[in-house]
Amino acid sequence: MPRPRVAALALAVGVVLADSSIVVLALPDIYRELDTSIAGVTWVLVSFNLVMALAAVPAAILARRVGPGRTAAVGLAVFAGAGLACGLAEELSTLVLARCVQALGGAAAVTAALELLPATVGSERRAATVWAAAGATGAAVGPAVGGVLTELISWQSIFILQVPVALAAAVPILAVAKHEAATGIIEPELRRTGRPHLWANLALAMVSAAIAAALFLLVLLLIEGWRLSPIEAALVVTVMPLAAVVGSKLDEFVADARSRAAAGAILVSGGLAGLAFLPKATIALTVPPQILVGIGLSLVLSALTETALGGRAPQAIHGGWTISARHAGVVIGLLALTPIFTADIDEQRHDAINAGTAVILDSPINPLLKLDLAERVSERLEDEEGKVPTIGPAFEPLPSDPGERAEVVQLQGELQDQLDRGATHAFSTSFILAALLGLIALFPIALSREVEL
Amino acid sequence: MRGRVLVLGSIVVSLLLVGAYLAAGGSSYEPKQVQDPCKPRAWSNPQSLSEIANQFSNSALDGAACQLGVSRETLARALATPEARERFTEKYGIDDEKLARAVRAGLVRAVDDAEDAGALSPLIAVPLRETVQRIPLEQAIEIIDDAEGFLGDVDSFLGPAGDIIEELLP
């Protein structure tokens, strides 16, 4: 088995599928820097996933006709070039357009990789395992890597650093591309392509919608609601991929893919429901729900991919269908939930401003301070445009009288608690809807069989 | 068999998590409600001038907000700075005259409430009521802002004479 080529193919799949989620933690920075709305910045994610969903199957067909080596190499080059354009974009429209081109290249690289892997690793089953594992790893670690890069360097660095990684992955594949060019296209097996596994792909779409929503909403809650920095948020959401590693071990103990898929969907929904009912705005309370989502996503994604690919040929086309289903699910999740939670955040902001003022007016502090304080607090809330602020600076300087100072400090704590709980509550409906999506996926999972040709 | 155990285990773990979070108050959040300013706001038994002033300001804001058809909180933010006031009058299409009438009406309600609560004697309340109905907008806002200073001044102006007159009254 040529190890560099397996590593290159796995790296290609990982870096492309990480791109689906890698910008999640950078979205608040992009949102502020490019002066757009939450709905607008969502398109940085939606555009990539939408094009991936639409292009995956045609890209797989192209790979079989033109040659997987050439398709993968060209795909990675396009992905890298568009990544550079993303990093240099100064307007949202340019960024979204570059993301679309990136997804076209990515779709070509990922589906062609699945066509190349069986010959490289020796069996279709092993190839599917390597491919699914690389994709799951990329998708799981993507947000954390994106968060770290955003904080340490900038959101642009996420895209710029993808360029050398994608090109490094393309180098070992070039040999295959050169071989294809020299010998002509390796004739694809001309057996008829079977129908895609409808139920497994449908379930994949629903579960992916729920998982994407989980990740996107949690990141927004941590950064916009609870004022964590991207690197802190990255550390918090790392719980999910770590739990996913534990979840992947369960595959060895339970052979039945349908049971694993059902258990995974239930755990994802349970975790999302937990996030919907957080009793307090504290990071520790997000850990148990994240563990459930992490274990759940590992179980359900691998089981459904296995079911969708099991006994089907050619693998690239059916792999293309799974990519298509997963990314279509992400798009549906983001498009369906974004208007709901943006409306909830707006309402919460309005309630927070009024609640904050009411808390101040009802407090026993000196009336002379009240109007000024009420105005400063509402100014801070409005200036942050939906982000829940640290309210402290609005209370400075603190009164010199010890009694008055204690009253003001107590008021500050009460007000911050109101704002934090309000921000947490603003995400509840969206988390509940995402949990329902995960539960609805149980129907197609119940109807799925491993081979349905 | 293992598959069923896995599915059942997932259901149990999920229910336990959601149940624990609900039991800990996960669905109890309600944003602090903003009270209708036209409804009377209960006065607690005020002990000091500062406590009276606090409730006096709130009653005045309630009264003015009720006249203008906005919340007490919205009006309080509007009166904090001239810029905030300008934004408020533009947004709600209220001119300074209408705002002045409303703020004066609010101050009258504050005097009424203070008198009803026993925080102001009728001897002080009557002239105060007359005074606040005639003052310009800026001064009216200043009274809401610095009710403690205003009530303190009134108290010291009447001084010991007020106590004597009150004793003579039936």
Side-chain angles (χ1 to χ4, degrees):
Chain A
M1 181 193 309
R3 279 172 183 262
R5 196 178 299 162
V6 177
L9 291 169
L11 182 64
V13 173
V15 78
V16 170
L17 294 187
D19 218 45
S20 168
S21 58
I22 200 165
V23 286
V24 168
L25 278 155
L27 290 182
D29 272 37
I30 298 173
Y31 159 68
R32 273 186 281 278
E33 205 170 305
L34 298 186
D35 194 23
T36 178
S37 60
I38 289 185
V41 84
T42 311
W43 278 93
V44 178
L45 274 183
V46 170
S47 57
F48 182 87
N49 287 289
L50 183 62
V51 175
M52 279 289 278
L54 294 172
V57 175
I61 294 168
L62 183 78
R64 287 179 59 75
R65 289 190 188 279
V66 178
R70 277 186 281 186
T71 309
V74 172
L76 283 169
V78 170
F79 180 84
L84 188 62
C86 288
L88 299 175
E90 289 180 353
E91 283 179 14
L92 184 69
S93 54
T94 318
L95 179 58
V96 169
L97 185 69
R99 289 281 286 162
C100 292
V101 179
Q102 223 191 357
L104 279 175
V110 169
T111 49
L114 187 55
E115 190 72 10
L116 287 171
L117 271 168
T120 317
V121 296
S123 81
E124 285 199 339
R125 192 182 173 81
R126 171 92 185 118
T129 308
V130 171
W131 187 75
T137 308
V141 301
V145 172
V148 171
L149 288 174
T150 302
E151 178 131 349
L152 294 183
I153 311 172
S154 65
W155 65 263
Q156 288 92 341
S157 67
I158 294 174
F159 297 110
I160 303 221
L161 282 175
Q162 282 176 348
V163 178
V165 177
L167 293 178
V171 171
I173 300 169
L174 279 176
V176 184
K178 276 184 192 164
H179 178 71
E180 282 169 6
T183 60
I185 302 160
I186 302 162
E187 194 65 31
E189 293 169 60
L190 293 174
R191 58 187 152 149
R192 197 166 171 265
T193 303
R195 277 190 296 121
H197 195 307
L198 176 69
W199 299 119
N201 282 309
L202 189 60
L204 260 180
M206 286 173 173
V207 167
S208 299
I211 294 167
L215 203 55
F216 185 54
L217 293 171
L218 182 60
V219 163
L220 274 180
L221 174 64
L222 293 173
I223 295 182
E224 298 295 296
W226 296 357
R227 306 170 302 282
L228 262 64
S229 67
I231 209 162
E232 289 167 333
L235 273 174
V236 175
V237 298
T238 303
V239 172
M240 266 192 261
L242 289 178
V245 173
V246 176
S248 66
K249 304 290 175 201
L250 290 171
D251 287 359
E252 297 161 18
F253 298 104
V254 181
D256 178 27
R258 230 172 359 154
S259 299
R260 277 186 279 131
I266 291 165
L267 287 173
V268 167
S269 297
L272 283 163
L275 290 170
F277 297 121
L278 287 173
K280 271 188 181 174
T282 50
I283 292 165
L285 288 170
T286 71
V287 173
Q290 282 197 77
I291 291 174
L292 261 60
V293 173
I295 295 175
L297 79 87
S298 154
L299 282 172
V300 71
L301 291 183
S302 64
L304 288 174
T305 307
E306 200 179 291
T307 307
L309 293 179
R312 283 178 154 72
Q315 290 263 296
I317 305 282
H318 291 286
W321 281 112
T322 65
I323 292 286
S324 201
R326 279 175 61 171
H327 288 84
V330 173
V331 171
I332 291 165
L334 293 176
L335 288 185
L337 293 178
T338 301
I340 296 168
F341 79 80
T342 46
D344 285 350
I345 288 172
D346 270 355
E347 192 184 329
Q348 178 273 329
R349 185 164 147 258
H350 177 260
D351 286 348
I353 291 174
N354 274 337
T357 313
V359 168
I360 291 168
L361 293 177
D362 292 335
S363 71
I365 63 167
N366 187 338
L368 258 179
L369 276 173
K370 280 186 178 178
L371 291 188
D372 184 40
L373 202 49
E375 170 66 5
R376 275 189 279 156
V377 166
S378 68
E379 252 177 24
R380 275 196 71 78
L381 286 165
E382 281 174 8
D383 285 351
E384 294 288 346
E385 293 178 347
K387 183 174 181 177
V388 177
T390 304
I391 215 73
F395 285 78
E396 283 164 2
L398 288 168
S400 51
D401 176 69
E404 213 167 71
R405 177 190 286 257
E407 279 172 356
V408 170
V409 168
Q410 190 190 339
L411 172 64
Q412 186 182 326
E414 196 183 327
L415 190 53
Q416 192 74 65
D417 182 56
Q418 274 277 331
L419 296 176
D420 287 347
R421 291 191 70 199
T424 308
H425 177 72
F427 288 84
S428 291
T429 309
S430 302
F431 276 128
I432 289 171
L433 290 173
L436 285 175
L437 272 173
L439 286 180
I440 293 169
L442 287 172
F443 291 105
I445 288 170
L447 293 169
S448 67
R449 293 279 188 282
E450 275 208 18
V451 180
E452 189 204 64
L453 288 166
Chain B
M1 181 64 189
R2 278 179 175 176
R4 279 188 190 169
V5 171
L6 184 65
V7 173
L8 281 175
S10 305
I11 294 171
V12 170
V13 170
S14 298
L15 289 178
L16 278 176
L17 176 80
V18 175
Y21 278 19
L22 284 173
S27 65
S28 66
Y29 172 77
E30 278 296 327
K32 190 176 169 72
Q33 293 301 310
V34 170
Q35 191 184 305
D36 177 359
C38 297
K39 286 186 179 165
R41 194 179 295 268
W43 272 54
S44 63
N45 185 22
Q47 299 300 318
S48 65
L49 182 62
S50 169
E51 284 173 35
I52 296 172
N54 240 320
Q55 298 184 81
F56 184 90
S57 289
N58 277 334
S59 276
L61 285 170
D62 271 332
C66 174
Q67 286 259 318
L68 295 169
V70 298
S71 69
R72 174 190 65 155
E73 288 67 23
T74 304
L75 183 65
R77 291 193 300 271
L79 298 183
T81 61
E83 297 78 30
R85 198 164 93 202
E86 203 179 313
R87 283 199 300 272
F88 171 79
T89 50
E90 251 176 50
K91 185 177 175 185
Y92 291 93
I94 295 166
D95 58 25
D96 272 4
E97 188 46 46
K98 190 176 176 186
L99 182 62
R101 276 200 305 275
V103 176
R104 284 189 210 113
L107 286 171
V108 171
R109 176 168 153 184
V111 174
D112 291 347
D113 287 350
E115 189 183 3
D116 292 346
L120 275 183
S121 77
L123 193 67
I124 297 176
V126 172
L128 257 189
R129 206 175 283 118
E130 288 301 314
T131 310
V132 296
Q133 285 186 75
R134 285 170 178 76
I135 54 171
L137 177 61
E138 298 298 337
Q139 234 175 311
I141 294 172
E142 213 169 287
I143 291 174
I144 295 178
D145 201 8
D146 187 13
E148 190 171 347
F150 172 69
L151 293 173
D153 286 349
V154 171
D155 196 41
S156 58
F157 174 71
L158 284 174
D163 297 336
I164 296 163
I165 298 166
E166 253 178 63
E167 273 175 28
L168 293 174
L169 283 173

